[in-house]
Amino acid sequence: MMLKVLLNSNNINKEKYMKKLIFRLTILLSALMLFPFQAVEACTGFIVGKNLTADGSTLYGRTEDLEPNHNKVFKVHPAKDNQAGEKLIDEANGFEWQLPAHSYKYTSVSDVTPKDGIFDEVGFNEHGVSISATVSAKANKAIQKVDPYVEKGLAESIMTTVVLPHVKTAREGVELIAEIVKKQGAAEGNIVTIADKTGVWYMEILSGHQYVAIKYPDDKYSIFPNTFFLGSVDFNDKENVIASENVEKVARDANSYKEINGKFHISQSYNPPMAEADRSRAWAGIKALNPDAPVNYDDKYFDLLQSSNKKISVADVMRMQRNRFEGTQFKPLDQMELDGKGIPQRGKVDPVYKYPLGNPNVMEAHIFQLKDNIPASMGGGTMWLSVGSPRFAPYLPYYGNITNTYSAYQVDTTKYDKNSWYWVASHIYDMAAKHQKLFGNSIQEKWKALEARLIEEQAKLDEQYAAAGGASSEEVTASSMARAEEVFKEMKALEAEMEEKIKNEQTPPSSSSEPSSSTSESSSTSSTSQSSSSTNETSTSSSSDVEKPKPNETSDTLVDTATGVRLQNADLVKANLKLAVKKTIEENADSYDITLTNPKGEAVSQVSSTLVTVPVKQGATVESVYAMKDGKQAEKFDFVLNKDQTISFKTTHFSTYKVNYKVVKEAPKQNRRGFLPSTGEKVTFLGLVGIVILGVVIFILAKRSKKNND
């Protein structure tokens, strides 16, 4: 349809149009060929009922996880009157919704590319309704066949923008979503939390037209990553349960219906098998808030509603959202490369390395702290917001009745900007994650100290405003703006201090004061982390993927002069280890059998992280580097190409390493497919179809252009 509209356009210059269209299609098809199709789902929500909190407040919120270097802005949208017939349109999928006569004022933490989806995600409206939307989830294949998701249905990208400005209560929000899903369908599965002065509603949009929502109990807590968690509910309890009519029927029709303890169990009926990354975050979150929780890592499923004898504070929740398996047998998945372990292949489950709550893909995190004595006009409480990953960024509190946000929150660039809260936070993250030995826990401890002070101050403000019956929008806006300005100055000073420290330590790469968008992407922690909670990215080896080490033959380097192999690691030298290398040359590969022995002549295989540098064939292009086991390629390593015709990679063990070279094939004389991937890359069927379409379009346009010229 898009092509039809474009081709029928007669109001633009034909020559310019053809060039633009060909260019866009080429880019589009290149993307289709070179990138895998997968839904990126990686958020973790939580709720803590007020009976379980240290101060009697209700806590709920989420980490918004997708990918590093994804800007988020914090804004206030004023109330407005809408013209008759005006529609809200989701440019991401074409969903349309008729706007009411009036839209209320609301706050949001939004994306900066609305054509790819608005993703307002989280905020307050002027009536004290708050929302966190969404935690993505997906029904199993059998369910989807019976009640498939609707292409132009309601999606996360528009959820908050539809709901928050148009409801006066949390229940109205749930009912509005239910109405839309019933009539227009859902484009995807989602978990939504909506709250007001009466409490929190937890809602699962299960399939194309099925949903269940419950009024959340005050004496429970929950952690929910990207899978459904609802168990058995009382569908006859209309006061506390809102559900679609056919939620059980769809499960039965799909032969996916399951009962536990004699009752229909929603999540077990609708879920696919639990992904490892969902399991790791659910388990870690439950145990972080209650170490005594009776859950095991390998449980078949985790109940939504958890109990605790421990009182939970805002600080506890902040720690949970930063959790990286501290005090457990597991280590964060993004730590693998820094530990010299490489990156696991897609679908591989590692017994030690798991996907953490505090992962590199967190773009923002928020915590609603709702109190009975704070007026609805102020939101009924505060939202603690960390723009950027809270691992190395601070939380700041905001009441619901602010009328503006600090300017640094509103910079909407898609690359680094020194005046942007998100980009400065992202740059700090990249430096801290990459240079862990240099900074340790100092960055996070700095922000924890700030947050401890802010929590204490906020509690006093809450008491003051509760006693006074509230505070004006002008007052809370001015104070929050001043606080944000002060903290942002601290962030900028910290950024400069870290840059200088890295420069002085001569730890590559040194960072400029204004890195480009790719600067952050070069971070080993960020760039090699998973962009999905449910899948692991396949590792690749190229000179552009990894920071370029600068090996040098110093007192920290062992050298085998016969082969030119160098091992840079001071620990090896201090231990008086001896290096021996046997090189085997093949047509399209070189193998290096690297052996280390101690002074007693005993072989040493496991060592601390070591930078290995080996020569490569003149004029050859390195395709991959593997450790060999039993004659087979066992472990793949990222590598960099150095200027002296060598490559470097890091390892913690020694055996035989194989350097594979790309096989150079002569291009066919009649090859006109100049945009095909290079040797070794796969062309998907969809990509080939796209190429054919592009050829047809170019042919049609060429004929039209010729006709017009004639």
Side-chain angles (χ1 to χ4, degrees):
M1 183 176 177
M2 181 183 72
L3 287 177
K4 184 178 180 181
V5 172
L6 291 172
L7 291 172
N8 289 334
S9 196
N10 297 314
N11 298 323
I12 59 177
N13 181 283
K14 294 266 191 319
E15 185 178 351
K16 288 183 178 179
Y17 162 71
M18 187 169 77
K19 289 180 179 179
K20 286 183 179 180
L21 182 59
I22 292 172
F23 175 77
R24 290 173 179 174
L25 287 172
T26 302
I27 296 297
L28 174 62
L29 294 172
S30 298
L32 294 178
M33 291 182 291
L34 299 178
F35 296 97
F37 288 89
Q38 62 177 15
V40 178
E41 302 174 349
C43 297
T44 307
F46 79 93
I47 306 174
V48 183
K50 63 183 180 181
N51 293 355
L52 295 186
T53 61
D55 60 358
S57 62
T58 298
L59 304 174
Y60 85 98
R62 180 169 54 97
T63 58
E64 184 187 357
D65 310 5
L66 178 64
E67 60 189 358
N69 306 306
H70 188 111
N71 190 11
K72 301 294 295 189
V73 291
F74 179 32
K75 302 191 297 185
V76 178
H77 306 263
K80 64 172 185 170
D81 293 322
N82 304 306
Q83 296 181 358
E86 187 175 352
K87 291 182 178 180
L88 181 63
I89 300 174
D90 189 349
E91 294 186 65
N93 72 340
F95 169 85
E96 296 184 357
W97 184 70
Q98 187 79 47
L99 283 166
H102 185 74
S103 297
Y104 308 126
K105 179 185 79 73
Y106 72 104
T107 62
S108 74
V109 182
S110 311
D111 274 18
V112 299
T113 52
K115 289 187 176 180
D116 298 323
I118 299 172
F119 292 98
D120 276 339
E121 295 296 320
V122 58
F124 283 108
N125 75 10
E126 64 183 83
H127 294 286
V129 180
S130 55
I131 189 171
S132 180
T134 68
V135 175
S136 304
K138 186 187 304 181
N140 62 54
K141 292 181 179 179
I143 292 289
Q144 291 190 52
K145 288 181 179 179
V146 175
D147 186 25
Y149 297 117
V150 179
E151 182 180 357
K152 293 186 177 182
L154 182 65
E156 173 183 350
S157 49
I158 202 77
M159 188 88 63
T160 297
T161 321
V162 168
V163 176
L164 200 56
H166 304 115
V167 299
K168 292 183 177 181
T169 68
R171 185 181 181 100
E172 284 182 11
V174 172
E175 291 172 341
L176 176 57
I177 294 172
E179 179 186 9
I180 294 173
V181 172
K182 182 179 179 179
K183 293 181 179 179
Q184 295 179 246
E188 58 200 15
N190 277 305
I191 300 171
V192 186
T193 43
I194 309 177
D196 60 13
K197 295 292 293 179
T198 68
V200 180
W201 281 83
Y202 171 94
M203 183 177 195
E204 293 185 352
I205 303 171
L206 299 161
S207 57
H209 301 86
Q210 307 309 314
Y211 54 85
V212 180
I214 65 167
K215 184 73 172 299
Y216 195 85
D218 292 332
D219 60 346
K220 301 292 181 181
Y221 80 97
S222 298
I223 306 293
F224 40 96
N226 305 105
T227 188
F228 299 123
F229 280 84
L230 274 171
S232 301
V233 303
D234 183 1
F235 292 112
N236 294 316
D237 183 1
K238 303 300 183 182
E239 183 177 348
N240 297 301
V241 177
I242 298 173
S244 53
E245 292 182 5
N246 296 318
V247 65
E248 286 192 56
K249 182 178 183 300
V250 167
R252 292 183 185 278
D253 291 347
N255 289 322
S256 186
Y257 180 93
K258 290 184 175 64
E259 292 185 352
I260 293 181
N261 297 325
K263 296 180 180 179
F264 171 60
H265 198 282
I266 297 167
S267 66
Q268 290 303 290
S269 298
Y270 275 77
N271 275 340
M274 185 179 293
E276 185 69 16
D278 295 334
R279 177 180 302 280
S280 63
R281 286 177 291 146
W283 177 85
I286 292 169
K287 299 292 281 188
L289 295 184
N290 179 18
D292 299 324
V295 296
N296 300 309
Y297 185 85
D298 57 355
D299 285 346
K300 184 178 180 180
Y301 64 92
F302 299 109
D303 289 325
L304 174 68
L305 303 178
Q306 299 286 327
S307 300
S308 176
N309 293 321
K310 175 183 178 294
K311 294 295 184 179
I312 300 169
S313 68
V314 172
D316 292 331
V317 174
M318 292 174 178
R319 276 193 296 271
M320 180 271 293
Q321 292 190 323
R322 291 169 168 142
N323 182 277
R324 289 176 60 81
F325 303 117
E326 292 88 352
T328 75
Q329 67 269 42
F330 303 123
K331 298 176 71 175
L333 193 59
D334 56 279
Q335 187 66 32
M336 285 190 75
E337 188 181 18
L338 296 181
D339 291 347
K341 301 288 186 179
I343 309 171
Q345 294 183 349
R346 185 185 299 275
K348 182 179 178 180
V349 176
D350 190 281
V352 175
Y353 292 92
K354 305 296 183 183
Y355 193 78
L357 289 151
N359 61 78
N361 298 319
V362 179
M363 303 176 297
E364 60 89 8
H366 53 268
I367 302 166
F368 286 104
Q369 184 180 23
L370 307 179
K371 296 184 176 182
D372 292 340
N373 59 356
I374 301 297
S377 61
M378 299 182 69
T382 54
M383 176 181 67
W384 293 86
L385 177 64
S386 172
V387 172
S389 169
R391 185 182 174 193
F392 299 117
Y395 289 90
L396 272 68
Y398 292 93
Y399 287 109
N401 60 330
I402 59 172
T403 57
N404 200 358
T405 62
Y406 183 58
S407 58
Y409 281 126
Q410 301 184 47
V411 179
D412 60 358
T413 61
T414 55
K415 62 181 181 180
Y416 179 89
D417 189 307
K418 65 181 181 181
N419 299 312
S420 161
W421 193 293
Y422 173 84
W423 286 114
V424 170
S426 180
H427 187 207
I428 290 172
Y429 182 103
D430 291 334
M431 290 187 288
K434 191 175 201 72
H435 303 282
Q436 293 181 16
K437 291 183 179 180
L438 195 58
F439 300 111
N441 296 323
S442 62
I443 311 301
Q444 192 173 106
E445 292 305 313
K446 174 183 176 65
W447 299 135
K448 285 182 178 179
L450 169 68
E451 289 156 1
R453 174 171 65 83
L454 293 178
I455 289 171
E456 185 176 344
E457 291 176 356
Q458 195 61 35
K460 293 179 180 178
L461 280 175
D462 287 346
E463 291 179 7
Q464 175 186 328
Y465 293 148
S472 69
S473 295
E474 292 77 14
E475 181 180 352
V476 298
T477 300
S479 63
S480 65
M481 294 269 277
R483 182 193 300 117
E485 182 178 18
E486 178 186 342
V487 174
F488 189 62
K489 287 179 179 178
E490 286 191 54
M491 292 171 62
K492 291 292 295 180
L494 176 62
E495 181 185 33
E497 180 185 328
M498 294 174 72
E499 289 174 339
E500 186 65 22
K501 196 168 185 178
I502 292 171
K503 182 180 179 181
N504 292 339
E505 291 285 332
Q506 296 182 339
T507 305
S510 60
S511 302
S512 66
S513 61
E514 295 186 27
S516 66
S517 59
S518 62
T519 301
S520 299
E521 292 171 354
S522 69
S523 162
S524 60
T525 304
S526 296
S527 65
T528 62
S529 65
Q530 286 65 40
S531 295
S532 168
S533 71
S534 302
T535 60
N536 299 331
E537 296 291 336
T538 304
S539 63
T540 59
S541 301
S542 72
S543 59
S544 63
D545 287 339
V546 187
E547 68 164 311
K548 186 170 182 176
K550 296 179 176 65
N552 48 49
E553 296 181 23
T554 62
S555 59
D556 66 353
T557 305
L558 297 178
V559 182
D560 182 73
T561 54
T563 60
V565 171
R566 304 195 296 268
L567 307 184
Q568 188 177 356
N569 183 345
D571 294 341
L572 309 185
V573 178
K574 292 177 182 178
N576 293 319
L577 300 185
K578 293 184 178 180
L579 170 65
V581 182
K582 181 180 179 181
K583 182 177 180 180
T584 303
I585 300 176
E586 304 174 27
E587 182 178 358
N588 295 305
D590 289 332
S591 294
Y592 296 89
D593 185 358
I594 302 176
T595 304
L596 288 172
T597 54
N598 60 26
K600 295 181 180 181
E602 300 167 334
V604 177
S605 57
Q606 202 72 25
V607 296
S608 57
S609 183
T610 302
L611 184 68
V612 182
T613 301
V614 301
V616 298
K617 290 180 180 179
Q618 190 70 33
T621 301
V622 179
E623 185 174 54
S624 58
V625 177
Y626 281 90
M628 306 297 290
K629 185 177 181 179
D630 300 328
K632 298 181 180 179
Q633 298 181 152
E635 181 181 0
K636 190 176 184 180
F637 291 86
D638 285 345
F639 66 89
V640 297
L641 179 64
N642 305 309
K643 291 181 179 179
D644 59 351
Q645 200 61 27
T646 63
I647 62 166
S648 299
F649 60 94
K650 289 183 179 180
T651 186
T652 56
H653 59 86
F654 287 99
S655 59
T656 299
Y657 293 88
K658 191 171 185 177
V659 179
N660 297 306
Y661 301 110
K662 285 186 177 181
V663 179
V664 180
K665 297 180 180 179
E666 292 186 9
K669 293 181 179 180
Q670 302 297 322
N671 184 12
R672 299 180 182 273
R673 298 177 291 177
F675 44 81
L676 283 176
S678 60
T679 305
E681 295 175 337
K682 295 181 179 179
V683 182
T684 64
F685 173 75
L686 184 57
L688 291 173
V689 172
I691 292 168
V692 174
I693 294 172
L694 178 60
V696 172
V697 172
I698 293 172
F699 176 75
I700 294 171
L701 292 174
K703 287 192 67 175
R704 290 194 174 200
S705 179
K706 183 178 179 182
K707 184 178 180 181
N708 291 332
N709 292 333
D710 291 343

